[in-house]
Amino acid sequence: MRLHRLDMTAFGPFGSTQSVDFGELSAAGLFLLHGPTGAGKTSVLDAVCYALYGSVPGARQSGQGMTLRSDHAAPGVRTEVTLELTVAGRRLEITRQPPWERPKKRGTGTTLDKAQTWLRERDAASGAWKDLSRSHQEIGEEITQLLGMSREQFCQVVLLPQGDFARFLRADAEARGKLLGRLFDTRRFADVEKRLAERRRAAESRVREGDADLLADAHRMQQAAGGSMEPPELTPGEPGLAEAVLSAAAVARSTAREQLTAARCRLATAESALADAGRALDAVRERDRLQRRFAEARERADRLRERSGAHQEARARMERARKAGTVAPALELRDSAGAEHGGTGGSGRPVAPVTAADR
Protein backbone atom coordinates (compact mmCIF):
# COMPACT_ATOMS: atom_id res chain seq x y z
CA MET A 1 0.00 0.00 0.00
CA ARG A 2 1.20 3.51 -0.85
CA LEU A 3 -0.47 6.72 0.37
CA HIS A 4 -0.67 9.68 -2.00
CA ARG A 5 -2.79 12.41 -0.38
CA LEU A 6 -4.82 12.93 2.77
CA ASP A 7 -7.42 15.70 3.18
CA MET A 8 -8.93 16.37 6.65
CA THR A 9 -11.73 18.82 7.33
CA ALA A 10 -12.95 19.60 10.86
CA PHE A 11 -11.17 16.46 12.04
CA GLY A 12 -9.43 16.17 15.40
CA PRO A 13 -7.48 19.34 16.19
CA PHE A 14 -7.87 20.67 12.64
CA GLY A 15 -10.72 23.18 12.46
CA SER A 16 -10.30 23.83 8.74
CA THR A 17 -9.20 21.69 5.82
CA GLN A 18 -5.66 20.35 6.03
CA SER A 19 -3.90 18.35 3.31
CA VAL A 20 -0.90 16.05 3.55
CA ASP A 21 0.91 15.19 0.30
CA PHE A 22 2.44 11.81 1.06
CA GLY A 23 3.75 11.50 -2.47
CA GLU A 24 6.01 14.51 -1.95
CA LEU A 25 6.98 13.41 1.57
CA SER A 26 7.95 9.89 0.52
CA ALA A 27 9.92 11.00 -2.55
CA ALA A 28 13.12 10.78 -0.51
CA GLY A 29 12.17 7.44 1.08
CA LEU A 30 11.43 7.86 4.78
CA PHE A 31 9.74 10.85 6.39
CA LEU A 32 9.05 11.89 9.97
CA LEU A 33 5.94 13.36 11.57
CA HIS A 34 7.09 15.52 14.47
CA GLY A 35 5.82 18.41 16.50
CA PRO A 36 4.80 19.39 20.02
CA THR A 37 2.17 17.55 21.98
CA GLY A 38 -1.28 18.29 20.64
CA ALA A 39 -0.02 19.34 17.24
CA GLY A 40 -2.05 16.58 15.60
CA LYS A 41 0.55 13.91 14.76
CA THR A 42 -1.65 11.08 16.04
CA SER A 43 -4.68 12.63 14.38
CA VAL A 44 -3.01 12.22 10.97
CA LEU A 45 -2.66 8.49 11.63
CA ASP A 46 -6.20 8.37 13.00
CA ALA A 47 -7.46 10.01 9.81
CA VAL A 48 -5.69 7.37 7.68
CA CYS A 49 -7.19 4.55 9.74
CA TYR A 50 -10.63 6.16 9.71
CA ALA A 51 -10.54 6.58 5.94
CA LEU A 52 -9.62 2.93 5.48
CA TYR A 53 -11.85 1.25 8.07
CA GLY A 54 -14.34 3.85 9.28
CA SER A 55 -12.94 3.85 12.84
CA VAL A 56 -9.81 4.94 14.69
CA PRO A 57 -7.33 2.89 16.73
CA GLY A 58 -7.39 2.15 20.43
CA ALA A 59 -9.61 3.77 23.02
CA ARG A 60 -10.54 6.60 20.65
CA GLN A 61 -13.07 4.33 18.92
CA SER A 62 -15.95 4.92 21.35
CA GLY A 63 -18.41 7.61 20.34
CA GLN A 64 -16.19 8.49 17.42
CA GLY A 65 -18.95 10.06 15.37
CA MET A 66 -18.96 13.10 17.67
CA THR A 67 -15.51 13.00 19.22
CA LEU A 68 -13.73 12.99 15.86
CA ARG A 69 -15.16 16.38 15.03
CA SER A 70 -12.87 19.31 15.77
CA ASP A 71 -13.98 21.71 18.49
CA HIS A 72 -12.47 24.49 16.42
CA ALA A 73 -14.61 23.88 13.33
CA ALA A 74 -17.31 26.31 12.27
CA PRO A 75 -20.85 25.05 12.93
CA GLY A 76 -21.66 24.77 9.25
CA VAL A 77 -18.51 22.84 8.28
CA ARG A 78 -18.94 19.05 8.15
CA THR A 79 -16.21 16.65 9.30
CA GLU A 80 -14.72 14.79 6.35
CA VAL A 81 -11.64 12.68 5.57
CA THR A 82 -10.48 11.86 2.04
CA LEU A 83 -7.58 9.45 1.38
CA GLU A 84 -6.05 8.73 -1.98
CA LEU A 85 -3.88 5.60 -2.14
CA THR A 86 -2.63 2.79 -4.35
CA VAL A 87 -3.20 -0.76 -3.13
CA ALA A 88 -2.80 -4.03 -5.04
CA GLY A 89 -2.03 -1.96 -8.16
CA ARG A 90 -5.32 0.00 -7.98
CA ARG A 91 -5.51 3.81 -7.48
CA LEU A 92 -8.41 4.42 -5.07
CA GLU A 93 -9.98 7.39 -3.29
CA ILE A 94 -11.98 6.93 -0.08
CA THR A 95 -14.11 9.69 1.41
CA ARG A 96 -15.79 9.30 4.79
CA GLN A 97 -18.06 11.63 6.76
CA PRO A 98 -19.00 10.61 10.30
CA PRO A 99 -22.48 11.35 11.73
CA TRP A 100 -22.94 15.14 12.18
CA GLU A 101 -25.34 17.28 14.11
CA ARG A 102 -25.65 20.29 11.86
CA PRO A 103 -27.69 23.43 12.40
CA LYS A 104 -31.15 23.35 10.91
CA LYS A 105 -31.55 25.31 7.71
CA ARG A 106 -34.83 26.67 8.98
CA GLY A 107 -35.50 27.59 12.53
CA THR A 108 -33.26 26.88 15.47
CA GLY A 109 -31.64 23.71 16.79
CA THR A 110 -29.74 20.92 15.04
CA THR A 111 -30.51 17.87 12.99
CA LEU A 112 -28.50 14.63 12.62
CA ASP A 113 -27.02 13.68 9.27
CA LYS A 114 -26.06 10.05 8.83
CA ALA A 115 -22.54 8.91 8.06
CA GLN A 116 -21.55 8.91 4.39
CA THR A 117 -18.86 6.93 2.53
CA TRP A 118 -17.65 7.05 -1.10
CA LEU A 119 -15.20 4.80 -2.91
CA ARG A 120 -13.81 5.78 -6.30
CA GLU A 121 -11.18 4.23 -8.60
CA ARG A 122 -9.02 6.06 -11.11
CA ASP A 123 -8.91 4.71 -14.66
CA ALA A 124 -5.24 4.47 -15.64
CA ALA A 125 -6.00 4.89 -19.33
CA SER A 126 -8.26 7.96 -19.19
CA GLY A 127 -7.26 9.36 -15.82
CA ALA A 128 -10.93 9.79 -14.85
CA TRP A 129 -12.40 8.74 -11.53
CA LYS A 130 -15.15 6.12 -11.49
CA ASP A 131 -17.58 5.65 -8.61
CA LEU A 132 -17.47 2.11 -7.18
CA SER A 133 -19.68 2.11 -4.10
CA ARG A 134 -21.38 4.15 -1.39
CA SER A 135 -22.11 1.21 0.91
CA HIS A 136 -20.22 1.15 4.21
CA GLN A 137 -20.23 -2.67 4.25
CA GLU A 138 -19.12 -3.14 0.65
CA ILE A 139 -16.36 -0.57 0.96
CA GLY A 140 -15.15 -2.13 4.25
CA GLU A 141 -15.04 -5.62 2.73
CA GLU A 142 -13.25 -4.33 -0.39
CA ILE A 143 -10.55 -2.51 1.61
CA THR A 144 -10.06 -5.44 4.01
CA GLN A 145 -9.67 -7.82 1.08
CA LEU A 146 -7.22 -5.54 -0.74
CA LEU A 147 -5.08 -4.86 2.34
CA GLY A 148 -5.32 -8.42 3.66
CA MET A 149 -5.73 -7.10 7.21
CA SER A 150 -8.59 -6.26 9.49
CA ARG A 151 -8.71 -2.91 11.35
CA GLU A 152 -7.32 -4.55 14.50
CA GLN A 153 -4.45 -6.13 12.59
CA PHE A 154 -3.73 -2.89 10.75
CA CYS A 155 -3.57 -0.96 14.01
CA GLN A 156 -1.35 -3.57 15.66
CA VAL A 157 1.05 -4.03 12.77
CA VAL A 158 1.11 -0.67 10.94
CA LEU A 159 0.01 1.97 13.48
CA LEU A 160 1.91 1.63 16.75
CA PRO A 161 0.43 3.90 19.43
CA GLN A 162 3.16 6.40 20.19
CA GLY A 163 2.75 6.35 23.95
CA ASP A 164 2.95 2.59 24.13
CA PHE A 165 5.92 2.57 21.80
CA ALA A 166 7.79 5.04 23.97
CA ARG A 167 7.15 2.85 27.02
CA PHE A 168 8.32 -0.12 25.00
CA LEU A 169 11.67 1.55 24.30
CA ARG A 170 12.22 2.21 28.02
CA ALA A 171 10.80 -1.07 29.38
CA ASP A 172 12.72 -4.08 30.63
CA ALA A 173 12.52 -7.46 28.93
CA GLU A 174 9.50 -8.73 30.86
CA ALA A 175 7.51 -5.50 30.51
CA ARG A 176 8.50 -5.26 26.86
CA GLY A 177 7.19 -8.76 26.27
CA LYS A 178 3.87 -7.92 27.90
CA LEU A 179 3.62 -4.68 25.94
CA LEU A 180 4.37 -6.41 22.64
CA GLY A 181 1.79 -9.01 23.51
CA ARG A 182 -0.81 -6.31 24.02
CA LEU A 183 0.21 -4.30 20.95
CA PHE A 184 0.32 -7.21 18.55
CA ASP A 185 -2.27 -9.39 20.24
CA THR A 186 0.03 -12.36 20.68
CA ARG A 187 -2.58 -14.40 22.50
CA ARG A 188 -2.89 -16.72 19.53
CA PHE A 189 0.86 -17.24 19.63
CA ALA A 190 0.64 -17.90 23.36
CA ASP A 191 -2.10 -20.42 22.62
CA VAL A 192 0.11 -22.02 20.01
CA GLU A 193 3.01 -22.06 22.48
CA LYS A 194 0.74 -23.61 25.11
CA ARG A 195 -0.46 -26.18 22.62
CA LEU A 196 3.10 -26.99 21.63
CA ALA A 197 4.06 -27.30 25.30
CA GLU A 198 1.18 -29.71 25.84
CA ARG A 199 2.24 -31.72 22.82
CA ARG A 200 5.82 -31.69 24.10
CA ARG A 201 4.70 -33.01 27.48
CA ALA A 202 2.55 -35.64 25.79
CA ALA A 203 5.49 -36.64 23.58
CA GLU A 204 7.79 -36.81 26.61
CA SER A 205 5.23 -39.01 28.36
CA ARG A 206 5.06 -41.31 25.35
CA VAL A 207 8.86 -41.40 25.19
CA ARG A 208 9.08 -42.34 28.88
CA GLU A 209 6.48 -45.05 28.39
CA GLY A 210 8.36 -46.31 25.36
CA ASP A 211 11.64 -46.24 27.31
CA ALA A 212 10.01 -48.21 30.15
CA ASP A 213 8.83 -50.83 27.66
CA LEU A 214 12.28 -50.85 26.11
CA LEU A 215 13.92 -51.43 29.49
CA ALA A 216 11.46 -54.24 30.21
CA ASP A 217 12.40 -55.82 26.89
CA ALA A 218 16.07 -55.40 27.79
CA HIS A 219 15.57 -57.28 31.10
CA ARG A 220 13.70 -60.05 29.29
CA MET A 221 16.53 -60.27 26.77
CA GLN A 222 18.99 -60.48 29.67
CA GLN A 223 17.06 -63.40 31.17
CA ALA A 224 16.87 -65.12 27.80
CA ALA A 225 20.60 -64.53 27.24
CA GLY A 226 21.44 -66.18 30.54
CA GLY A 227 22.99 -63.10 32.09
CA SER A 228 25.37 -62.39 29.19
CA MET A 229 23.68 -59.04 28.55
CA GLU A 230 23.96 -56.02 30.84
CA PRO A 231 20.97 -53.63 30.56
CA PRO A 232 21.88 -49.92 30.51
CA GLU A 233 21.80 -48.17 33.85
CA LEU A 234 19.51 -45.41 32.64
CA THR A 235 16.03 -44.32 33.65
CA PRO A 236 13.12 -43.79 31.26
CA GLY A 237 13.32 -40.41 29.58
CA GLU A 238 17.11 -40.07 29.72
CA PRO A 239 18.81 -39.36 26.40
CA GLY A 240 20.63 -42.26 24.81
CA LEU A 241 18.55 -45.00 26.39
CA ALA A 242 17.43 -46.51 23.10
CA GLU A 243 20.99 -46.47 21.70
CA ALA A 244 22.33 -48.12 24.86
CA VAL A 245 19.68 -50.85 24.75
CA LEU A 246 20.36 -51.45 21.05
CA SER A 247 24.10 -51.70 21.72
CA ALA A 248 23.55 -54.16 24.59
CA ALA A 249 21.16 -56.16 22.43
CA ALA A 250 23.73 -56.27 19.63
CA VAL A 251 26.35 -57.65 22.04
CA ALA A 252 23.86 -60.20 23.38
CA ARG A 253 22.94 -61.21 19.83
CA SER A 254 26.61 -61.68 18.90
CA THR A 255 27.16 -63.78 22.03
CA ALA A 256 24.03 -65.81 21.31
CA ARG A 257 25.24 -66.45 17.75
CA GLU A 258 28.58 -67.72 19.08
CA GLN A 259 26.78 -69.95 21.56
CA LEU A 260 24.49 -71.19 18.80
CA THR A 261 27.49 -72.04 16.60
CA ALA A 262 29.13 -73.95 19.47
CA ALA A 263 25.87 -75.75 20.25
CA ARG A 264 25.51 -76.75 16.58
CA CYS A 265 29.04 -78.15 16.62
CA ARG A 266 28.27 -80.12 19.79
CA LEU A 267 25.03 -81.33 18.22
CA ALA A 268 26.87 -82.52 15.11
CA THR A 269 29.38 -84.37 17.30
CA ALA A 270 26.61 -85.95 19.34
CA GLU A 271 24.73 -86.98 16.20
CA SER A 272 27.91 -88.56 14.81
CA ALA A 273 28.47 -90.43 18.09
CA LEU A 274 24.84 -91.52 18.08
CA ALA A 275 25.20 -92.87 14.55
CA ASP A 276 28.35 -94.80 15.56
CA ALA A 277 26.58 -96.17 18.60
CA GLY A 278 23.62 -97.18 16.43
CA ARG A 279 25.89 -99.04 14.06
CA ALA A 280 27.66 -100.77 16.98
CA LEU A 281 24.29 -101.71 18.47
CA ASP A 282 23.18 -103.19 15.17
CA ALA A 283 26.39 -105.25 15.00
CA VAL A 284 25.91 -106.48 18.57
CA ARG A 285 22.31 -107.38 17.85
CA GLU A 286 23.34 -109.30 14.71
CA ARG A 287 26.05 -111.14 16.61
CA ASP A 288 23.56 -111.99 19.35
CA ARG A 289 21.09 -113.29 16.75
CA LEU A 290 23.77 -115.48 15.16
CA GLN A 291 24.89 -116.77 18.56
CA ARG A 292 21.31 -117.71 19.44
CA ARG A 293 20.93 -119.55 16.14
CA PHE A 294 24.22 -121.35 16.73
CA ALA A 295 23.10 -122.40 20.24
CA GLU A 296 19.81 -123.67 18.85
CA ALA A 297 21.67 -125.62 16.15
CA ARG A 298 23.93 -127.19 18.72
CA GLU A 299 20.92 -128.19 20.82
CA ARG A 300 19.30 -129.81 17.80
CA ALA A 301 22.57 -131.59 17.00
CA ASP A 302 22.80 -132.94 20.56
CA ARG A 303 19.23 -134.19 20.38
CA LEU A 304 19.94 -135.82 17.07
CA ARG A 305 23.04 -137.54 18.49
CA GLU A 306 20.99 -138.81 21.44
CA ARG A 307 18.45 -140.31 19.02
CA SER A 308 21.06 -141.75 16.62
CA GLY A 309 21.05 -145.29 18.30
CA ALA A 310 17.32 -145.78 17.93
CA HIS A 311 17.62 -144.44 14.42
CA GLN A 312 20.29 -147.01 13.57
CA GLU A 313 18.17 -149.79 15.07
CA ALA A 314 15.17 -148.64 13.07
CA ARG A 315 17.27 -148.59 9.94
CA ALA A 316 18.45 -152.17 10.63
CA ARG A 317 14.92 -153.31 11.09
CA MET A 318 13.93 -151.58 7.93
CA GLU A 319 16.74 -153.32 6.11
CA ARG A 320 15.65 -156.72 7.40
CA ALA A 321 12.07 -155.96 6.50
CA ARG A 322 13.18 -155.04 3.00
CA LYS A 323 15.08 -158.30 2.68
CA ALA A 324 12.13 -160.24 4.04
CA GLY A 325 9.91 -158.55 1.56
CA THR A 326 11.94 -160.07 -1.28
CA VAL A 327 11.41 -163.72 -0.08
CA ALA A 328 7.80 -163.27 1.10
CA PRO A 329 6.25 -164.44 -2.23
CA ALA A 330 8.31 -167.65 -2.22
CA LEU A 331 7.33 -168.43 1.31
CA GLU A 332 3.70 -167.80 0.52
CA LEU A 333 3.99 -170.12 -2.45
CA ARG A 334 5.58 -172.78 -0.25
CA ASP A 335 2.83 -172.44 2.29
CA SER A 336 0.27 -172.84 -0.41
CA ALA A 337 1.94 -175.91 -1.77
CA GLY A 338 2.25 -177.44 1.64
CA ALA A 339 -1.36 -176.91 2.29
CA GLU A 340 -2.22 -178.64 -0.90
CA HIS A 341 -0.11 -181.72 -0.04
CA GLY A 342 -1.54 -182.20 3.36
CA GLY A 343 0.67 -179.99 5.27
CA THR A 344 3.94 -181.48 3.99
CA GLY A 345 6.40 -180.13 1.62
CA GLY A 346 7.77 -181.75 -1.45
CA SER A 347 9.94 -184.06 0.71
CA GLY A 348 6.98 -185.52 2.41
CA ARG A 349 7.85 -183.87 5.70
CA PRO A 350 5.67 -181.48 7.51
CA VAL A 351 6.41 -177.87 6.77
CA ALA A 352 6.91 -175.49 9.73
CA PRO A 353 4.84 -172.33 9.55
CA VAL A 354 6.72 -169.02 8.78
CA THR A 355 6.26 -166.32 11.40
CA ALA A 356 6.52 -162.63 10.94
CA ALA A 357 9.68 -162.62 12.97
CA ASP A 358 11.28 -165.08 10.63
CA ARG A 359 10.41 -162.87 7.76
Side-chain angles (χ1 to χ4, degrees):
M1 180 181 70
R2 176 179 292 275
L3 304 181
H4 299 293
R5 191 189 81 259
L6 175 66
D7 296 328
M8 302 169 288
T9 301
F11 183 86
F14 309 112
S16 59
T17 300
Q18 300 292 330
S19 296
V20 179
D21 190 346
F22 289 106
E24 183 179 355
L25 289 175
S26 59
L30 297 177
F31 61 89
L32 172 68
L33 293 180
H34 68 93
T37 302
K41 301 183 296 297
T42 303
S43 296
V44 173
L45 302 180
D46 288 348
V48 172
C49 184
Y50 179 72
L52 292 173
Y53 295 99
S55 60
V56 296
R60 298 184 297 281
Q61 298 179 49
S62 59
Q64 58 184 328
M66 302 303 176
T67 58
L68 293 180
R69 180 173 175 77
S70 175
D71 295 335
H72 308 288
V77 178
R78 182 166 187 173
T79 303
E80 182 179 275
V81 174
T82 300
L83 176 65
E84 185 180 341
L85 72 160
T86 297
V87 58
R90 299 172 61 183
R91 185 74 171 257
L92 302 176
E93 181 188 75
I94 308 171
T95 302
R96 291 187 185 271
Q97 295 177 349
W100 175 43
E101 286 190 0
R102 62 173 178 80
K104 291 182 178 181
K105 296 180 179 180
R106 297 180 180 179
T108 60
T110 60
T111 185
L112 180 63
D113 286 346
K114 295 181 179 180
Q116 300 290 328
T117 304
W118 294 269
L119 176 63
R120 299 194 304 171
E121 182 175 5
R122 185 176 181 178
D123 188 348
S126 62
W129 290 93
K130 179 178 64 175
D131 292 333
L132 296 181
S133 176
R134 298 192 61 175
S135 169
H136 300 295
Q137 182 177 358
E138 291 180 358
I139 295 174
E141 292 175 355
E142 181 74 13
I143 295 301
T144 300
Q145 183 177 1
L146 290 174
L147 293 179
M149 291 183 290
S150 65
R151 185 194 61 80
E152 292 77 10
Q153 293 170 332
F154 180 81
C155 294
Q156 292 165 359
V157 175
V158 179
L159 300 181
L160 290 177
Q162 59 182 1
D164 290 341
F165 187 69
R167 284 194 298 272
F168 168 76
L169 294 177
R170 296 190 299 267
D172 55 17
E174 182 178 0
R176 191 176 300 175
K178 292 181 179 179
L179 183 59
L180 284 175
R182 183 166 61 86
L183 288 176
F184 295 99
D185 191 16
T186 59
R187 287 175 297 178
R188 59 184 181 278
F189 301 108
D191 293 339
V192 172
E193 183 180 5
K194 181 180 179 182
R195 177 59 179 165
L196 292 177
E198 292 175 354
R199 294 181 61 180
R200 176 181 57 82
R201 288 191 293 269
E204 289 177 349
S205 177
R206 290 195 298 270
V207 169
R208 285 193 296 270
E209 293 175 358
D211 287 349
D213 294 339
L214 194 60
L215 281 177
D217 293 339
H219 288 295
R220 285 194 290 271
M221 285 190 289
Q222 181 189 24
Q223 295 175 358
S228 61
M229 172 184 171
E230 291 295 332
E233 297 180 356
L234 296 173
T235 58
E238 290 190 52
L241 176 63
E243 290 78 4
V245 172
L246 290 176
S247 299
V251 174
R253 180 178 60 183
S254 177
T255 304
R257 285 180 175 174
E258 295 176 357
Q259 294 175 350
L260 177 61
T261 302
R264 286 176 175 172
C265 293
R266 291 193 298 269
L267 176 61
T269 303
E271 289 177 346
S272 178
L274 178 61
D276 294 339
R279 289 190 292 269
L281 178 60
D282 293 339
V284 170
R285 285 176 175 172
E286 180 65 18
R287 185 169 58 249
D288 179 68
R289 185 183 66 82
L290 294 176
Q291 288 177 349
R292 285 198 303 270
R293 290 186 61 185
F294 178 73
E296 293 173 356
R298 291 188 63 179
E299 289 179 359
R300 288 195 299 269
D302 292 341
R303 287 194 300 269
L304 291 174
R305 279 193 299 270
E306 290 175 357
R307 296 168 56 184
S308 62
H311 180 69
Q312 293 295 332
E313 183 179 354
R315 289 185 65 181
R317 291 178 62 186
M318 289 178 63
E319 183 64 24
R320 288 195 302 270
R322 183 182 63 77
K323 291 179 180 180
T326 59
V327 298
L331 292 176
E332 291 177 354
L333 181 61
R334 187 195 67 173
D335 292 342
S336 298
E340 292 178 357
H341 291 86
T344 61
S347 62
R349 293 179 296 194
V351 178
V354 179
T355 64
D358 294 333
R359 292 175 185 176

